[in-house]
Amino acid sequence: MLWRLRTGAPWRDLPERYGPWQTVYRRFAHSIVLSTGNTADCSMFPAVLDAIRIPRVGAGRPRTKPDRVVADKAYSSRKIRHLLQRRSIKATIPERRDQIANRARRASEGKASA
């Protein structure tokens, strides 16, 4: 994919060592959502989620809602977890240490956890 961006050549001219150009193009087109870095994880996540298309085994249009989202600690925010919960999508996202510590601190102070 970087070869294509660097050279500016048409997709059809992609060297064979990268595989069929149609496959490389499809993966490239479906995988890129550009952001400014970690600060935009929460703001870009809905766009990434909306771009998901899961092909069906038989005929029919692709599913747009995954059964589960697996992500790293960068996506362990209340906003993202709420979005997934609202859409009935299960999440496998480890919590950051500061979130765990804040919840423990709030529990020891007698405050309800959010």
Side-chain angles (χ1 to χ4, degrees):
M1 289 191 261
L2 293 177
W3 177 89
R4 164 65 172 85
L5 294 174
R6 190 183 66 227
T7 64
W11 283 105
R12 292 180 187 271
D13 293 342
L14 190 72
E16 289 183 23
R17 68 178 176 263
Y18 295 115
W21 71 266
Q22 298 93 336
T23 303
V24 176
Y25 170 77
R26 188 173 42 253
R27 289 179 182 159
F28 177 78
H30 288 25
S31 67
I32 290 194
V33 176
L34 300 176
S35 71
T36 58
N38 291 341
T39 58
D41 286 338
C42 284
S43 60
M44 294 304 293
F45 190 74
V48 171
L49 204 56
D50 290 340
I52 291 176
R53 299 290 180 265
I54 304 162
R56 297 203 184 263
V57 175
R61 63 185 177 93
R63 293 186 316 130
T64 57
K65 185 183 125 186
D67 295 327
R68 177 175 297 275
V69 169
V70 179
D72 62 11
K73 291 180 182 182
Y75 295 90
S76 179
S77 71
R78 191 176 295 160
K79 182 178 178 182
I80 289 176
R81 289 180 184 279
H82 180 70
L83 173 69
L84 293 172
Q85 185 179 22
R86 202 171 61 232
R87 294 185 182 192
S88 301
I89 300 172
K90 296 175 185 171
T92 302
I93 306 172
E95 288 186 293
R96 295 189 315 256
R97 287 183 192 161
D98 64 329
Q99 289 175 326
I100 296 169
N102 287 338
R103 190 172 54 248
R105 180 183 49 81
R106 289 176 58 90
S108 68
E109 292 173 359
K111 296 179 182 177
S113 62

